[in-house]
Amino acid sequence: MQSLRLAGKPVNNENRRAAILDAAVVLFGERGYYGTSLQTIAAAVGMTKAGVLHHVGSKEGLLEIVLDEVYDNHNDEMRERYLAKERPLMAQMWRDVVAMNAERPEQVHMFSTLDAESIDPDHPAHQYFLERDRDTIDLMLDVPWDVPEGVNVEQLLNAGFSMMDGIQLRWLRNPESDLNELWAQCEDQLMPLPMWDGYR
């Protein structure tokens, strides 16, 4: 992993930290938080465990960084864009999220694995995922969505994100599948025509 991340780049603190985060994303996805040791991450990037700790503080600190800085950074940017729009289409928001996630399978793999692990209330990311679910819906409710009359936006958001979680697991199991096509099938059920004519 180090050779891929640092090839042609100066070996400085910024690049070392980036290599650690890349390795953590892959290993947390493949093995989960409990199945990944700091020593394994250190070996993957050609560093010592002490060197990794210098950059991330602790294993829980590393977990927090990859969730907040690596995974959620892209989502936060997208939320801000939609909050700034006037009467945006919810269908387009979901398509944008799906297209973004289709380009980052390793991060989605990590997120899905940690999400499942964190059902355990003692998992260090349990509270993060619990709050993230609520916060995502609350933030999206602040957007002035252009939807058909009578649509319950909160219920629609909950259903849509639940569908997305499910199709991402199917996609990860079958990498030959197309995440965008899988979502298009869900969209037809979630926002059926003709009710959603002009809103998709």
Side-chain angles (χ1 to χ4, degrees):
M1 292 180 190
Q2 183 191 36
S3 60
L4 290 175
R5 182 73 195 188
L6 297 178
K9 297 181 180 180
V11 182
N12 55 33
N13 283 339
E14 181 180 350
N15 289 334
R16 286 193 184 98
R17 185 176 187 273
I20 292 166
L21 300 188
D22 282 352
V25 166
V26 172
L27 290 166
F28 284 160
E30 292 176 351
R31 307 181 185 187
Y33 177 80
Y34 291 129
T36 302
S37 68
L38 286 176
Q39 185 58 53
T40 303
I41 292 170
V45 295
M47 295 175 62
T48 64
K49 179 180 175 181
V52 170
L53 286 170
H54 171 74
H55 290 281
V56 300
S58 66
K59 187 179 176 183
E60 286 193 21
L62 175 58
L63 177 66
E64 182 177 346
I65 291 168
V66 294
L67 287 171
D68 289 342
E69 292 186 22
V70 178
Y71 192 84
D72 275 340
N73 182 51
H74 300 287
N75 296 322
D76 292 342
E77 291 173 0
M78 185 170 293
R79 289 188 197 111
E80 290 302 316
R81 288 205 307 272
Y82 274 90
L83 283 168
K85 292 177 181 285
E86 290 186 19
R87 307 294 291 169
L89 299 179
M90 192 179 293
Q92 187 58 53
M93 177 272 292
W94 273 318
R95 291 175 199 145
D96 288 345
V97 172
V98 170
M100 175 181 68
N101 286 346
E103 297 298 320
R104 53 174 188 164
E106 289 179 343
Q107 291 184 25
V108 174
H109 190 180
M110 174 198 72
F111 183 86
S112 299
T113 299
L114 294 174
D115 191 8
E117 270 192 338
S118 72
I119 293 171
D120 174 6
D122 293 327
H123 191 283
H126 178 78
Q127 197 63 28
Y128 162 85
F129 281 100
L130 197 64
E131 293 176 359
R132 187 182 189 278
D133 287 344
R134 291 195 298 257
D135 291 347
T136 297
I137 299 299
D138 288 345
L139 283 169
M140 288 303 180
L141 286 173
D142 290 336
V143 177
W145 300 109
D146 192 8
V147 299
E149 185 177 353
V151 167
N152 185 312
V153 173
E154 184 172 1
Q155 289 181 2
L156 187 66
L157 286 166
N158 275 303
F161 285 119
S162 295
M163 281 185 172
M164 190 170 297
D165 287 344
I167 65 163
Q168 286 180 165
L169 289 176
R170 289 178 58 194
W171 172 60
L172 290 169
R173 289 192 194 99
N174 181 15
E176 299 302 315
S177 61
D178 186 313
L179 185 60
N180 294 284
E181 289 182 5
L182 290 172
W183 175 254
Q185 297 169 20
C186 292
E187 186 176 294
D188 288 339
Q189 302 303 313
L190 190 66
M191 293 169 283
L193 301 175
M195 178 182 178
W196 282 80
D197 271 334
Y199 297 94
R200 288 175 48 179

